[in-house]
Amino acid sequence: MFNVKKETKKLLILFIFNEIKSFKDVFLTKINSYDTIYIVAFCVILSMIYKKIIERNTNMDKEEVITKICDSGVVAVVRAENAEQAIKIAEACIEGGVPAIELTFTVPGAHHVIEELAKRYTSEQIILGAGTVMDSETARISILSGAQYVVSPYFNLDMVKLCNRYRVACMPGAMTINEVVEAMEAGADVVKLFPGETSGPKMIKAIKGPIPYAKVMPTGGVDVDNVAEWICAGAVAVGAGSALTAGAQTGDYAAITVMGREFIKRIREARGL
């Protein structure tokens, strides 16, 4: 006698492991007219769930991640007092046209926030990264939580190696040309110029003089009034923190959305778009 529970479990296992031929064999030879409706309904629901899981967890190639960040031109550096505030900031940024979110590990339970954002948004809606990553262990945690790129305030060789091992985009920090070259030689996809306010846009010009192919993203000291100067100096994108997200301090998340749109507008203007 056909055991519905037993056979549906078998179908589930075959489906998960993509054993399509076996799936068809089981379906066509073992079910009878009384069980057909149950099995078909189950498989339809299962396929819908499976499709959603795939959509949510499909990671872009790191080259595509970097391209999207550069096209956007701005990464929202999210610092918050708690997870709820961090998520609200991220949502406000996305609504303002800033999909690149760098969720920093100064946020309590940061990896859980990354997991939550990865569940709420598809890779078409968000470019989700982890920031203030100080070591390879934290980098791995962030990647497993759903981070598509990893940002650090300094150059850590082990962290860069780990990101390259798993083909996840990596942006270590640097302040000097020597550090920039070391990061590039190690395999950094983009070098984060940090803190940007100590050198200004002229540092980007100084770097790109002898190293025109360097991809540099300044963070710190970037705001809507000088973002065009950074872009014109050669920055592939900018990291914007409090200049973008200050509204969160007073609960004015709408102000973040407005500021995000202004950042995007000025970056496009600077690029002649």
Side-chain angles (χ1 to χ4, degrees):
M1 183 177 178
F2 184 79
N3 187 313
V4 173
K5 288 186 178 180
K6 181 179 179 181
E7 294 304 328
T8 33
K9 285 181 180 179
K10 186 185 294 184
L11 287 173
L12 174 58
I13 294 171
L14 292 173
F15 187 87
I16 290 175
F17 286 94
N18 203 27
E19 296 288 344
I20 303 301
K21 183 178 182 302
S22 298
F23 176 88
K24 288 182 179 178
D25 290 343
V26 173
F27 185 83
L28 293 175
T29 61
K30 292 190 175 182
I31 65 173
N32 57 47
S33 58
Y34 296 103
D35 301 309
T36 300
I37 294 177
Y38 180 92
I39 298 297
V40 170
F42 175 85
C43 291
V44 168
I45 294 172
L46 178 63
S47 65
M48 291 172 65
I49 295 172
Y50 185 78
K51 183 178 179 182
K52 286 293 182 182
I53 293 173
I54 292 298
E55 289 177 350
R56 290 291 183 183
N57 292 280
T58 297
N59 289 323
M60 296 181 285
D61 287 338
K62 69 173 187 174
E63 291 81 7
E64 187 178 355
V65 170
I66 295 300
T67 297
K68 284 197 167 190
I69 290 173
C70 293
D71 288 347
S72 172
V74 58
V75 174
V77 182
V78 178
R79 299 192 186 279
E81 296 177 0
N82 53 60
E84 182 182 1
Q85 186 184 51
I87 290 173
K88 288 182 179 179
I89 292 173
E91 291 175 338
C93 289
I94 293 170
E95 188 176 346
V98 181
I101 306 298
E102 176 190 328
L103 201 290
T104 65
F105 266 78
T106 56
V107 176
H111 64 293
H112 292 306
V113 180
I114 292 173
E115 289 174 354
E116 182 60 30
L117 289 172
K119 290 176 184 177
R120 292 191 186 191
Y121 296 96
T122 68
S123 58
E124 294 300 315
Q125 298 170 312
I126 191 172
I127 314 167
L128 183 56
T132 318
V133 176
M134 302 298 290
D135 48 48
S136 59
E137 292 83 2
T138 306
R140 185 59 177 145
I141 290 171
S142 69
I143 293 168
L144 291 172
S145 297
Q148 297 168 302
Y149 59 99
V150 175
V151 187
S152 176
Y154 78 113
F155 172 61
N156 180 294
L157 180 59
D158 288 338
M159 186 191 70
V160 176
K161 283 183 176 180
L162 183 136
C163 288
N164 282 318
R165 183 179 303 135
Y166 296 103
R167 282 194 51 77
V168 173
C170 184
M171 305 179 187
M175 285 187 67
T176 67
I177 289 183
N178 184 60
E179 291 175 346
V180 169
V181 173
E182 285 184 352
M184 291 173 63
E185 288 178 342
D189 298 284
V190 172
V191 179
K192 171 183 174 177
L193 182 63
F194 180 79
E197 62 262 43
T198 62
S199 57
K202 64 181 182 295
M203 184 59 179
I204 300 241
K205 288 184 178 181
I207 293 170
K208 293 185 77 70
I211 318 171
Y213 41 85
K215 291 184 177 179
V216 183
M217 180 184 77
T219 300
V222 179
D223 56 41
V224 290
D225 293 324
N226 64 21
V227 66
E229 190 177 354
W230 284 105
I231 295 296
C232 291
V236 296
V238 300
S242 58
L244 170 61
T245 65
Q249 296 178 5
T250 58
D252 188 1
Y253 296 97
I256 298 175
T257 298
V258 171
M259 190 60 68
R261 289 172 181 156
E262 188 63 24
F263 261 99
I264 295 298
K265 175 186 174 183
R266 298 202 184 190
I267 289 170
R268 288 180 60 83
E269 288 175 351
R271 291 173 169 174
L273 301 176

